[in-house]
Amino acid sequence: MKNQITNALSNFFFEYETPRQVLVRNRRVGVVCRLIQLLVLAYIIGWVFIYEKGYQSTDTAVSSVFTKMKGVGYTKVDGRESVWDVADYVFPPQGDSSFVVMTNYIITEGQMMKTCPEVCKMLHFCALFSLFFPLKSEAKFSVGVIRQMTGMCVNETHTCEVLAWCPIEDDRKIPDPPLLMSAENYTLFIKNSITFPLFGVTSNLVESVDAKYISQCLYDPKDSPLCPIFRLGDIVNLSGFNFSTIAREGGAIGIVVDWTCNLDLDVKKCKPKYNFHGLYGNPNETDKARASVGYNFRYAKHYMEDSKEKRTLLKVFGIRIDIIVQSLARKFDIIPTLTAIGSGVGIFGVATVVCDLVLLYLLPKREFYKNMKFKYTETHEEVS
């Protein structure tokens, strides 16, 4: 055992292997080798360098988005005329990258905190309810709405009496057509600033977009693809929606600003592309059993009248717009170039491995090739 261990250590430390080059004149093996090398070369050039741009470094942008809506809406409800400006129909008004444009609403004016009959979709609901909850309780469940019940029934309406902001909002009928159809002609201005910190490149609006151009342009995918001013109706249509349908109950649209730039070219060629995607509110969705349709929320305007607090409640139906910036910049760099070349050279070894397997294990003359490929030598040292 001791001699075996000694011989193993001696062989490990005092022997050296070197590759032996054998020129094999075999057409089949030669064709296989060249085909594999050709495929590897095509992969390196076509995929690594041309498609994946393996010779370039990449960076994503740090971006900022500022928005501004313009336009005036007009409504005439029950003979009452109203004019709606940006402060009335945009939520929130700070110019964020995500906001809502009101297109329809249900208004409940002059609400006061007092007791009044609940609005109920089921006749005689209160009589049934009082059998189980005859006493005054806190925040009982009433047709999907949380109210402060008084435990009393209102015979005139056959509904429960509640302590709430009265009169209670009745949102069972949504205005159709939408009250603010004029929103279709509102305009949206998107100001997007990006910085690629790795390359030290900053871009705002492209060079051809100046103040004079902005004052005259309106976005069009073909004629004015760089104009940052968009008509709301065009945004809805480009997202695949119908304006009158989505305006009635609301929905959501995503605007993707795509900055994909090759900085090996002139920086002036780094220009944004706009894409529009309907997120929800699709008019083709006909399933009326969905739990929640469209997009809506409520907000209230509080005021004092005769020393009493009152409010005007609006249930707002609108188009939610989310602006998403996608970015990727590429530029030549020696380090990824050398890495790609080194990886390609390493992959060339696949051809040698495959051909060796064919020679040594598949061909009829495999023993002959083994003897030609491997040579064993021993060195005998003289003992003095």
Side-chain angles (χ1 to χ4, degrees), residues 308-326:
K308 296 180 180 180
E309 183 182 9
K310 292 186 176 183
R311 75 176 189 179
T312 297
L313 178 67
L314 276 92
K315 182 175 183 179
V316 174
F317 301 89
I319 301 173
R320 178 189 174 103
I321 296 179
D322 295 305
I323 300 174
I324 305 162
V325 178
Q326 293 182 346

Side-chain angles (χ1 to χ4, degrees), residues 51-104:
Y51 185 79
E52 289 291 333
K53 304 293 192 298
Y55 58 91
Q56 293 177 316
S57 291
T58 60
D59 189 22
T60 56
V62 178
S63 66
S64 174
V65 176
F66 168 79
T67 60
K68 182 183 293 186
M69 291 290 303
K70 285 187 177 182
V72 176
Y74 170 81
T75 60
K76 187 175 182 180
V77 182
D78 297 329
R80 179 180 175 181
E81 296 181 305
S82 299
V83 174
W84 304 76
D85 60 17
V86 176
D88 298 316
Y89 61 73
V90 175
F91 310 89
Q94 291 86 0
D96 293 343
S97 59
S98 180
F99 58 93
V100 179
V101 180
M102 180 170 66
T103 55
N104 205 4

Side-chain angles (χ1 to χ4, degrees), residues 164-365:
W165 288 96
C166 300
I168 301 297
E169 174 192 71
D170 186 357
D171 61 350
R172 290 175 292 180
K173 185 177 180 181
I174 301 174
D176 192 12
L179 298 176
L180 284 169
M181 277 297 293
S182 56
E184 189 173 11
N185 294 314
Y186 295 167
T187 58
L188 168 65
F189 171 60
I190 300 177
K191 185 176 182 181
N192 180 208
S193 301
I194 63 166
T195 298
F196 294 104
L198 180 63
F199 306 128
V201 174
T202 300
S203 181
N204 195 321
L205 297 176
V206 292
E207 187 175 272
S208 59
V209 180
D210 53 20
K212 182 179 179 181
Y213 178 77
I214 290 178
S215 64
Q216 300 174 351
C217 76
L218 189 63
Y219 176 83
D220 183 89
K222 296 180 179 179
D223 299 330
S224 301
L226 297 179
C227 181
I229 298 178
F230 307 81
R231 180 175 167 270
L232 186 59
D234 294 337
I235 294 175
V236 173
N237 293 333
L238 289 170
S239 68
F241 289 169
N242 177 271
F243 188 85
S244 60
T245 303
I246 196 175
R248 181 178 181 271
E249 298 185 51
I253 293 174
I255 301 177
V256 178
V257 186
D258 183 14
W259 293 85
T260 300
C261 302
N262 184 357
L263 298 181
D264 288 334
L265 306 176
D266 196 327
V267 179
K268 297 177 183 178
K269 295 184 178 182
C270 183
K271 301 176 180 179
K273 294 182 180 179
Y274 301 95
N275 300 299
F276 306 87
H277 305 276
L279 303 181
Y280 57 86
N282 195 327
N284 294 326
E285 295 176 353
T286 57
D287 182 9
K288 301 302 181 183
R290 287 175 294 166
S292 179
V293 179
Y295 180 88
N296 64 79
F297 63 94
R298 292 174 174 85
Y299 85 100
K301 297 179 180 179
H302 292 260
Y303 60 94
M304 299 296 294
E305 184 178 283
D306 298 331
S307 301
K308 296 180 180 180
E309 183 182 9
K310 292 186 176 183
R311 75 176 189 179
T312 297
L313 178 67
L314 276 92
K315 182 175 183 179
V316 174
F317 301 89
I319 301 173
R320 178 189 174 103
I321 296 179
D322 295 305
I323 300 174
I324 305 162
V325 178
Q326 293 182 346
S327 61
L328 182 65
R330 297 178 178 274
K331 193 173 184 179
F332 175 78
D333 193 344
I334 190 62
I335 294 177
T337 302
L338 293 177
T339 302
I341 294 174
S343 300
V345 172
I347 297 175
F348 267 106
V350 173
T352 302
V353 173
V354 173
C355 291
D356 282 350
L357 291 174
V358 173
L359 283 172
L360 302 178
Y361 299 101
L362 300 179
L363 293 182
K365 297 182 179 180

